[in-house]
Coordinates of all heavy atoms in Angstrom, one line a residue:
M1 N 48.5 -8.9 -16.2 CA 48.0 -9.4 -15.0 C 46.7 -10.1 -15.4 O 45.9 -9.6 -16.1 CB 47.7 -8.3 -14.0 CG 47.2 -8.7 -12.7 SD 47.0 -7.4 -11.5 CE 48.5 -7.7 -10.5
T2 N 46.5 -11.3 -14.8 CA 45.3 -12.1 -15.1 C 44.1 -11.6 -14.2 O 44.3 -10.8 -13.3 CB 45.6 -13.6 -14.8 OG1 45.8 -13.7 -13.4 CG2 46.8 -14.1 -15.6
V3 N 42.9 -12.1 -14.6 CA 41.8 -11.8 -13.8 C 41.9 -12.3 -12.4 O 41.5 -11.5 -11.4 CB 40.5 -12.3 -14.5 CG1 39.3 -12.1 -13.7 CG2 40.3 -11.7 -15.9
A4 N 42.4 -13.4 -12.2 CA 42.6 -14.0 -10.9 C 43.6 -13.1 -10.1 O 43.4 -12.9 -8.9 CB 43.2 -15.4 -11.0
G5 N 44.7 -12.6 -10.7 CA 45.6 -11.7 -10.1 C 45.0 -10.4 -9.6 O 45.3 -9.9 -8.6
I6 N 44.1 -9.8 -10.5 CA 43.4 -8.6 -10.2 C 42.4 -8.8 -9.0 O 42.4 -8.0 -8.0 CB 42.6 -8.1 -11.4 CG1 43.6 -7.6 -12.4 CG2 41.7 -6.9 -11.0 CD1 43.0 -7.3 -13.8
I7 N 41.7 -9.9 -9.0 CA 40.8 -10.3 -7.9 C 41.6 -10.4 -6.6 O 41.2 -10.0 -5.5 CB 39.9 -11.4 -8.2 CG1 39.0 -11.1 -9.4 CG2 39.1 -11.9 -7.0 CD1 38.2 -12.2 -9.9
T8 N 42.7 -11.2 -6.7 CA 43.5 -11.4 -5.5 C 44.0 -10.0 -4.9 O 44.0 -9.8 -3.8 CB 44.7 -12.3 -5.8 OG1 44.1 -13.5 -6.3 CG2 45.5 -12.6 -4.6
A9 N 44.5 -9.2 -5.8 CA 45.0 -7.9 -5.4 C 43.9 -7.0 -4.7 O 44.1 -6.4 -3.7 CB 45.5 -7.1 -6.6
I10 N 42.6 -7.1 -5.2 CA 41.5 -6.4 -4.6 C 41.2 -7.0 -3.2 O 41.0 -6.3 -2.2 CB 40.3 -6.4 -5.5 CG1 40.5 -5.6 -6.7 CG2 39.0 -6.0 -4.7 CD1 39.5 -5.7 -7.8
V11 N 41.2 -8.3 -3.0 CA 40.9 -9.0 -1.8 C 42.0 -8.7 -0.8 O 41.7 -8.3 0.4 CB 40.7 -10.5 -2.0 CG1 40.6 -11.2 -0.6 CG2 39.5 -10.8 -2.8
I12 N 43.2 -8.9 -1.1 CA 44.4 -8.6 -0.3 C 44.4 -7.1 0.1 O 44.6 -6.7 1.3 CB 45.7 -9.0 -0.9 CG1 45.7 -10.5 -1.1 CG2 46.9 -8.6 0.0 CD1 45.7 -11.3 0.1
G13 N 44.1 -6.2 -0.8 CA 44.1 -4.8 -0.6 C 43.0 -4.4 0.4 O 43.2 -3.6 1.3
A14 N 41.8 -5.1 0.2 CA 40.7 -4.8 1.2 C 41.1 -5.2 2.6 O 40.9 -4.5 3.6 CB 39.5 -5.5 0.7
I15 N 41.7 -6.4 2.7 CA 42.1 -6.9 4.0 C 43.2 -6.0 4.6 O 43.1 -5.6 5.8 CB 42.6 -8.3 4.0 CG1 41.4 -9.3 3.6 CG2 43.2 -8.8 5.2 CD1 41.8 -10.7 3.2
V16 N 44.2 -5.7 3.9 CA 45.3 -4.9 4.4 C 44.8 -3.5 4.7 O 45.2 -2.9 5.7 CB 46.5 -4.8 3.4 CG1 47.5 -3.8 3.8 CG2 47.2 -6.2 3.3
G17 N 43.9 -2.9 3.9 CA 43.4 -1.6 4.1 C 42.6 -1.6 5.4 O 42.7 -0.6 6.2
M18 N 41.7 -2.5 5.6 CA 40.9 -2.6 6.8 C 41.8 -2.8 8.1 O 41.5 -2.2 9.1 CB 39.8 -3.7 6.7 CG 38.8 -3.5 5.7 SD 37.9 -2.0 6.0 CE 36.9 -1.8 4.6
L19 N 42.8 -3.6 8.0 CA 43.7 -3.8 9.1 C 44.5 -2.5 9.4 O 44.7 -2.1 10.6 CB 44.7 -4.9 8.8 CG 44.1 -6.3 8.9 CD1 45.2 -7.3 8.4 CD2 43.6 -6.7 10.3
G20 N 44.8 -1.7 8.4 CA 45.4 -0.5 8.5 C 44.5 0.5 9.3 O 45.0 1.3 10.1
R21 N 43.2 0.5 8.9 CA 42.3 1.3 9.6 C 42.1 0.9 11.1 O 41.9 1.8 11.9 CB 40.9 1.3 8.9 CG 40.9 2.1 7.6 CD 39.5 2.1 7.0 NE 38.7 3.1 7.7 CZ 37.6 3.6 7.3 NH1 37.1 3.2 6.1 NH2 36.9 4.4 7.9
L22 N 42.1 -0.3 11.4 CA 42.0 -0.8 12.7 C 43.2 -0.4 13.6 O 43.0 -0.2 14.8 CB 41.9 -2.4 12.8 CG 40.6 -3.0 12.3 CD1 40.6 -4.4 12.3 CD2 39.4 -2.5 13.3
V23 N 44.3 -0.3 13.0 CA 45.5 0.1 13.8 C 45.5 1.6 14.2 O 45.9 1.9 15.2 CB 46.8 -0.2 12.9 CG1 48.1 0.4 13.5 CG2 47.0 -1.6 12.7
L24 N 44.9 2.4 13.3 CA 44.8 3.9 13.6 C 43.8 4.1 14.7 O 42.6 3.6 14.6 CB 44.4 4.6 12.4 CG 45.5 4.8 11.3 CD1 44.9 5.6 10.2 CD2 46.7 5.6 11.9
P25 N 44.1 5.0 15.7 CA 43.1 5.3 16.7 C 42.1 6.3 16.1 O 42.4 7.1 15.1 CB 43.9 6.0 17.8 CG 45.1 6.5 17.1 CD 45.4 5.5 16.0
G26 N 40.9 6.3 16.6 CA 39.8 7.3 16.1 C 39.2 6.9 14.9 O 39.3 5.8 14.4
R27 N 38.3 7.8 14.4 CA 37.5 7.5 13.2 C 38.1 8.2 12.0 O 38.5 9.3 12.0 CB 36.1 8.1 13.4 CG 35.1 7.7 12.4 CD 33.7 8.1 12.8 NE 32.7 7.6 11.9 CZ 32.2 8.3 10.9 NH1 32.6 9.5 10.7 NH2 31.4 7.7 10.1
Q28 N 38.2 7.4 10.9 CA 38.7 7.9 9.7 C 37.5 8.1 8.7 O 36.7 7.2 8.5 CB 39.7 7.0 9.0 CG 41.0 6.7 9.8 CD 40.8 5.6 10.9 OE1 40.1 4.7 10.7 NE2 41.4 5.8 12.0
S29 N 37.4 9.3 8.1 CA 36.3 9.6 7.3 C 36.7 9.3 5.8 O 36.6 10.2 5.0 CB 35.9 11.0 7.5 OG 36.9 11.9 7.2
I30 N 37.0 8.1 5.5 CA 37.2 7.7 4.1 C 36.3 6.5 3.8 O 36.0 5.7 4.6 CB 38.7 7.4 3.8 CG1 39.3 6.2 4.5 CG2 39.6 8.6 4.1 CD1 40.6 5.8 4.1
G31 N 36.0 6.4 2.5 CA 35.1 5.3 2.1 C 35.8 3.9 1.9 O 37.0 3.8 2.0
V32 N 35.0 3.0 1.6 CA 35.5 1.6 1.4 C 36.4 1.5 0.2 O 37.4 0.9 0.2 CB 34.3 0.6 1.4 CG1 34.8 -0.8 1.1 CG2 33.5 0.6 2.7
L33 N 36.0 2.1 -0.9 CA 36.8 2.0 -2.1 C 38.1 2.6 -2.0 O 39.2 2.1 -2.4 CB 36.0 2.6 -3.3 CG 34.8 1.8 -3.7 CD1 34.1 2.5 -4.9 CD2 35.1 0.4 -4.1
L34 N 38.2 3.8 -1.3 CA 39.4 4.4 -1.0 C 40.3 3.6 -0.1 O 41.6 3.5 -0.3 CB 39.1 5.8 -0.4 CG 40.3 6.8 -0.5 CD1 40.9 6.9 -1.9 CD2 39.8 8.2 -0.1
T35 N 39.7 3.0 0.9 CA 40.5 2.1 1.8 C 41.0 0.9 1.1 O 42.2 0.6 1.2 CB 39.5 1.6 2.9 OG1 39.0 2.7 3.6 CG2 40.2 0.6 3.9
I36 N 40.3 0.3 0.1 CA 40.8 -0.8 -0.7 C 42.0 -0.3 -1.6 O 43.0 -0.9 -1.7 CB 39.7 -1.4 -1.5 CG1 38.7 -2.1 -0.6 CG2 40.2 -2.4 -2.6 CD1 37.4 -2.6 -1.4
G37 N 41.8 0.9 -2.2 CA 42.9 1.4 -3.0 C 44.2 1.7 -2.2 O 45.3 1.3 -2.6
V38 N 44.0 2.2 -1.0 CA 45.2 2.5 -0.1 C 45.8 1.0 0.3 O 47.0 0.9 0.3 CB 44.8 3.3 1.1 CG1 45.9 3.3 2.2 CG2 44.5 4.7 0.7
G39 N 44.9 0.1 0.5 CA 45.4 -1.2 0.9 C 46.1 -1.9 -0.2 O 47.1 -2.6 0.0
I40 N 45.7 -1.8 -1.5 CA 46.3 -2.4 -2.6 C 47.8 -1.7 -2.7 O 48.8 -2.4 -2.9 CB 45.5 -2.2 -3.9 CG1 44.3 -3.1 -3.8 CG2 46.4 -2.5 -5.1 CD1 43.3 -2.8 -4.9
V41 N 47.8 -0.4 -2.7 CA 49.1 0.2 -2.8 C 50.0 -0.1 -1.7 O 51.2 -0.4 -1.9 CB 48.9 1.8 -2.9 CG1 50.3 2.5 -2.7 CG2 48.2 2.2 -4.1
A42 N 49.5 -0.2 -0.4 CA 50.3 -0.6 0.7 C 50.8 -2.0 0.6 O 51.9 -2.3 1.0 CB 49.5 -0.4 2.0
A43 N 49.9 -2.9 0.1 CA 50.4 -4.3 -0.1 C 51.5 -4.4 -1.1 O 52.5 -5.2 -0.9 CB 49.2 -5.2 -0.5
L44 N 51.4 -3.7 -2.2 CA 52.5 -3.7 -3.2 C 53.8 -3.1 -2.7 O 54.8 -3.7 -2.8 CB 52.1 -3.0 -4.4 CG 50.9 -3.6 -5.2 CD1 50.5 -2.7 -6.4 CD2 51.3 -5.0 -5.8
L45 N 53.7 -2.0 -2.0 CA 54.8 -1.3 -1.4 C 55.5 -2.2 -0.3 O 56.7 -2.3 -0.1 CB 54.5 0.0 -0.9 CG 54.2 1.1 -2.0 CD1 53.8 2.4 -1.3 CD2 55.4 1.3 -2.9
G46 N 54.6 -2.8 0.6 CA 55.0 -3.6 1.7 C 55.8 -4.9 1.1 O 56.8 -5.3 1.7
T47 N 55.3 -5.4 0.1 CA 56.0 -6.6 -0.5 C 57.3 -6.2 -1.1 O 58.3 -6.9 -0.9 CB 55.1 -7.2 -1.6 OG1 53.9 -7.7 -1.0 CG2 55.8 -8.4 -2.3
A48 N 57.4 -5.0 -1.8 CA 58.6 -4.6 -2.3 C 59.6 -4.2 -1.2 O 60.8 -4.6 -1.3 CB 58.4 -3.3 -3.2
L49 N 59.2 -3.7 -0.2 CA 60.0 -3.4 1.0 C 60.6 -4.6 1.7 O 61.7 -4.8 2.0 CB 59.3 -2.5 2.0 CG 60.1 -2.1 3.3 CD1 61.2 -1.2 2.9 CD2 59.1 -1.3 4.2
A50 N 59.7 -5.6 1.8 CA 60.1 -6.9 2.4 C 61.1 -7.6 1.5 O 62.0 -8.2 2.0 CB 58.9 -7.8 2.7
Q51 N 60.9 -7.5 0.2 CA 61.9 -8.1 -0.7 C 63.2 -7.5 -0.6 O 64.3 -8.1 -0.7 CB 61.4 -8.1 -2.2 CG 60.2 -9.1 -2.4 CD 59.6 -9.0 -3.8 OE1 59.9 -8.1 -4.5 NE2 58.8 -10.0 -4.1
S52 N 63.2 -6.1 -0.5 CA 64.5 -5.4 -0.5 C 65.2 -5.7 0.8 O 66.5 -5.7 0.8 CB 64.3 -3.9 -0.6 OG 63.6 -3.4 0.5
V53 N 64.5 -6.0 1.9 CA 65.2 -6.3 3.2 C 65.6 -7.8 3.2 O 66.5 -8.2 3.9 CB 64.2 -6.0 4.4 CG1 64.8 -6.4 5.7 CG2 63.9 -4.5 4.4
G54 N 64.9 -8.6 2.4 CA 65.2 -10.0 2.3 C 64.4 -10.9 3.2 O 64.7 -12.0 3.6
V55 N 63.2 -10.4 3.5 CA 62.3 -11.3 4.4 C 61.0 -11.7 3.7 O 60.1 -12.2 4.4 CB 62.0 -10.5 5.7 CG1 63.2 -10.3 6.5 CG2 61.3 -9.2 5.5
A56 N 60.9 -11.5 2.4 CA 59.6 -11.7 1.7 C 59.4 -13.2 1.4 O 58.3 -13.7 1.2 CB 59.5 -11.0 0.4
T57 N 60.4 -14.0 1.4 CA 60.3 -15.4 1.0 C 60.8 -16.3 2.2 O 62.0 -16.6 2.3 CB 61.1 -15.8 -0.2 OG1 62.5 -15.3 0.0 CG2 60.5 -15.1 -1.5
T58 N 59.8 -16.6 3.1 CA 60.1 -17.5 4.2 C 59.1 -18.6 4.1 O 58.1 -18.6 3.4 CB 59.9 -16.7 5.5 OG1 58.6 -16.2 5.6 CG2 60.9 -15.6 5.7
D59 N 59.4 -19.7 4.9 CA 58.4 -20.8 5.0 C 57.2 -20.4 5.8 O 57.3 -19.7 6.8 CB 59.1 -22.0 5.7 CG 60.3 -22.5 4.8 OD1 60.2 -22.4 3.6 OD2 61.2 -23.1 5.4
G60 N 56.1 -20.7 5.3 CA 54.8 -20.4 6.0 C 54.4 -19.0 5.7 O 54.6 -18.4 4.6
I61 N 53.7 -18.4 6.6 CA 53.2 -17.1 6.5 C 54.3 -16.0 6.7 O 55.1 -16.1 7.6 CB 52.0 -16.7 7.5 CG1 50.9 -17.8 7.2 CG2 51.6 -15.3 7.4 CD1 49.8 -17.7 8.2
D62 N 54.3 -15.0 5.8 CA 55.4 -14.0 5.9 C 54.9 -12.9 6.9 O 54.3 -11.9 6.4 CB 55.7 -13.4 4.6 CG 56.3 -14.4 3.6 OD1 57.0 -15.3 4.1 OD2 56.1 -14.4 2.4
W63 N 55.1 -13.1 8.2 CA 54.5 -12.2 9.2 C 55.2 -10.8 9.1 O 54.5 -9.7 9.2 CB 54.7 -12.7 10.6 CG 53.8 -13.9 10.8 CD1 54.2 -15.2 10.9 CD2 52.4 -14.0 10.9 NE1 53.2 -16.0 11.0 CE2 52.0 -15.3 11.1 CE3 51.4 -13.0 10.9 CZ2 50.7 -15.7 11.3 CZ3 50.1 -13.4 11.1 CH2 49.7 -14.7 11.2
I64 N 56.5 -10.8 8.8 CA 57.1 -9.5 8.7 C 56.7 -8.7 7.5 O 56.4 -7.5 7.6 CB 58.7 -9.7 8.6 CG1 59.2 -10.4 9.9 CG2 59.4 -8.3 8.4 CD1 60.6 -10.8 9.9
E65 N 56.4 -9.4 6.4 CA 55.9 -8.7 5.2 C 54.5 -8.1 5.5 O 54.2 -7.1 5.2 CB 55.8 -9.7 4.1 CG 55.2 -9.1 2.8 CD 55.3 -10.1 1.7 OE1 55.7 -11.3 1.8 OE2 54.8 -9.7 0.6
L66 N 53.7 -8.9 6.2 CA 52.3 -8.5 6.6 C 52.4 -7.3 7.5 O 51.6 -6.3 7.3 CB 51.6 -9.6 7.3 CG 50.1 -9.3 7.7 CD1 49.3 -9.0 6.5 CD2 49.5 -10.5 8.5
V67 N 53.4 -7.2 8.4 CA 53.5 -6.0 9.3 C 53.9 -4.9 8.5 O 53.3 -3.7 8.7 CB 54.6 -6.3 10.4 CG1 55.0 -5.1 11.1 CG2 54.1 -7.4 11.4
F68 N 54.8 -5.0 7.5 CA 55.1 -3.9 6.6 C 53.9 -3.4 5.9 O 53.7 -2.1 5.8 CB 56.2 -4.3 5.6 CG 57.6 -4.4 6.2 CD1 58.5 -5.2 5.4 CD2 58.0 -3.9 7.4 CE1 59.8 -5.3 5.9 CE2 59.3 -4.0 7.9 CZ 60.2 -4.8 7.2
Q69 N 53.1 -4.3 5.3 CA 51.9 -3.9 4.6 C 50.9 -3.2 5.4 O 50.4 -2.1 5.0 CB 51.3 -5.2 4.0 CG 52.1 -5.8 2.9 CD 51.6 -7.2 2.4 OE1 50.8 -7.8 3.1 NE2 52.0 -7.5 1.2
V70 N 50.6 -3.7 6.6 CA 49.6 -3.1 7.5 C 50.1 -1.7 8.0 O 49.4 -0.8 8.1 CB 49.2 -4.0 8.7 CG1 48.3 -3.3 9.7 CG2 48.5 -5.3 8.1
G71 N 51.4 -1.7 8.3 CA 51.9 -0.4 8.7 C 51.9 0.7 7.7 O 51.5 1.8 7.9
L72 N 52.2 0.3 6.5 CA 52.1 1.2 5.3 C 50.6 1.6 5.0 O 50.3 2.8 4.7 CB 52.7 0.6 4.1 CG 54.3 0.6 4.1 CD1 54.8 -0.2 2.9 CD2 54.8 2.0 4.1
A73 N 49.7 0.6 5.2 CA 48.3 1.0 5.0 C 47.8 1.9 6.1 O 47.0 2.8 5.8 CB 47.4 -0.3 5.1
A74 N 48.3 1.8 7.3 CA 47.9 2.7 8.4 C 48.4 4.1 8.1 O 47.7 5.1 8.2 CB 48.4 2.2 9.7
V75 N 49.6 4.2 7.6 CA 50.2 5.5 7.2 C 49.4 6.1 6.1 O 49.0 7.3 6.1 CB 51.7 5.4 6.9 CG1 52.2 6.6 6.2 CG2 52.5 5.0 8.1
G76 N 49.1 5.3 5.1 CA 48.3 5.7 3.9 C 46.9 6.2 4.3 O 46.5 7.2 3.8
V77 N 46.2 5.4 5.1 CA 44.9 5.8 5.6 C 45.0 7.1 6.3 O 44.1 8.0 6.2 CB 44.2 4.7 6.4 CG1 43.0 5.1 7.1 CG2 43.9 3.5 5.5
G78 N 46.0 7.2 7.2 CA 46.1 8.5 8.0 C 46.3 9.6 7.1 O 45.8 10.7 7.3
I79 N 47.2 9.5 6.1 CA 47.4 10.6 5.1 C 46.2 11.0 4.3 O 45.8 12.2 4.2 CB 48.6 10.2 4.2 CG1 49.9 10.2 5.0 CG2 48.7 11.2 3.0 CD1 51.1 9.7 4.2
V80 N 45.5 9.9 3.8 CA 44.3 10.2 3.0 C 43.2 10.8 3.9 O 42.5 11.8 3.5 CB 43.8 8.9 2.4 CG1 42.4 9.1 1.8 CG2 44.7 8.4 1.3
A81 N 43.0 10.3 5.1 CA 42.0 10.9 6.0 C 42.4 12.4 6.4 O 41.5 13.2 6.5 CB 41.9 10.1 7.3
G82 N 43.7 12.6 6.6 CA 44.1 14.0 6.9 C 43.9 15.0 5.8 O 43.5 16.1 5.9
V83 N 44.2 14.4 4.5 CA 44.0 15.3 3.3 C 42.6 15.6 3.1 O 42.2 16.7 2.7 CB 44.7 14.6 2.1 CG1 44.3 15.3 0.8 CG2 46.2 14.6 2.2
R84 N 41.7 14.6 3.2 CA 40.3 14.8 3.0 C 39.7 15.7 4.1 O 38.7 16.4 3.9 CB 39.6 13.5 3.0 CG 39.9 12.7 1.8 CD 39.1 11.4 1.7 NE 37.7 11.5 1.9 CZ 36.8 11.7 1.0 NH1 37.1 11.7 -0.3 NH2 35.5 11.8 1.2
G85 N 40.3 15.7 5.3 CA 39.9 16.7 6.3 C 38.5 16.6 6.8 O 37.9 17.7 7.2
G86 N 37.9 15.5 6.9 CA 36.5 15.4 7.4 C 35.4 16.0 6.6 O 34.4 16.5 7.1
R87 N 35.7 16.0 5.3 CA 34.6 16.5 4.4 C 33.4 15.6 4.4 O 33.5 14.4 4.6 CB 35.1 16.5 3.0 CG 36.3 17.5 2.7 CD 36.7 17.4 1.2 NE 38.0 18.0 1.1 CZ 38.7 17.8 0.1 NH1 38.4 17.0 -0.9 NH2 39.9 18.3 0.0
T88 N 32.3 16.2 4.3 CA 31.0 15.5 4.2 C 30.5 15.5 2.7 O 30.9 16.2 1.9 CB 29.9 16.2 5.1 OG1 29.7 17.5 4.6 CG2 30.4 16.2 6.5
R89 N 29.6 14.6 2.5 CA 29.1 14.4 1.1 C 28.3 15.7 0.7 O 28.2 16.0 -0.5 CB 28.2 13.2 1.0 CG 28.9 11.9 1.1 CD 28.0 10.8 0.8 NE 28.7 9.5 0.8 CZ 29.1 8.9 -0.2 NH1 28.8 9.3 -1.4 NH2 29.7 7.8 -0.1
S90 N 27.7 16.4 1.6 CA 26.9 17.6 1.2 C 27.7 18.8 1.0 O 27.2 19.8 0.4 CB 25.9 17.9 2.3 OG 26.5 18.2 3.6
G91 N 29.0 18.7 1.4 CA 29.9 19.8 1.1 C 29.9 20.9 2.2 O 30.6 21.8 2.1
R92 N 29.0 20.7 3.2 CA 29.0 21.6 4.3 C 30.0 21.3 5.4 O 30.3 20.1 5.6 CB 27.6 21.7 4.9 CG 26.6 22.3 4.0 CD 25.2 22.4 4.7 NE 24.6 21.2 4.3 CZ 23.5 20.7 4.9 NH1 23.0 21.4 5.9 NH2 22.9 19.6 4.6
Y93 N 30.5 22.3 6.1 CA 31.5 22.1 7.1 C 30.9 22.3 8.5 O 30.1 23.1 8.8 CB 32.7 23.0 6.9 CG 33.5 22.6 5.7 CD1 33.3 23.3 4.5 CD2 34.3 21.5 5.7 CE1 34.0 23.0 3.4 CE2 35.1 21.1 4.6 CZ 34.9 21.9 3.5 OH 35.6 21.5 2.3

């Protein structure tokens, strides 16, 4: 993977991760880097899912692929926020 590919993955991951957080109701207690990581994984899985369904290569913007990516990001952010369970930096509950 080239440097441009890595930068593109980070940017797309950040956008997809933030959109995934916007879809979820309430407040998620995860950081920006974790959101970007979830977004990158969701973008890759969403693209693979769209390719397996056969909707990844359309003319213009691939809206169905984007819906898959954002939906997977919302699920991923929800899982990560649930696993973290509202922990604080100080370690107190």
Side-chain angles (χ1 to χ4, degrees):
M1 183 176 258
T2 64
V3 174
I6 293 170
I7 292 171
T8 302
I10 292 170
V11 170
I12 297 296
I15 292 169
V16 168
M18 292 298 171
L19 288 173
R21 283 185 78 163
L22 285 174
V23 170
L24 285 177
R27 185 170 189 264
Q28 299 83 32
S29 60
I30 66 172
V32 173
L33 292 178
L34 198 51
T35 301
I36 292 172
V38 169
I40 291 170
V41 171
L44 293 173
L45 290 176
T47 299
L49 181 62
Q51 287 175 349
S52 69
V53 175
V55 295
T57 54
T58 59
D59 293 333
I61 298 174
D62 296 327
W63 293 107
I64 298 172
E65 181 179 357
L66 182 62
V67 168
F68 286 161
Q69 291 172 340
V70 172
L72 288 171
V75 169
V77 167
I79 289 171
V80 170
V83 168
R84 290 183 50 95
R87 295 181 197 160
T88 61
R89 288 186 180 257
S90 64
R92 290 183 269 167
Y93 293 98

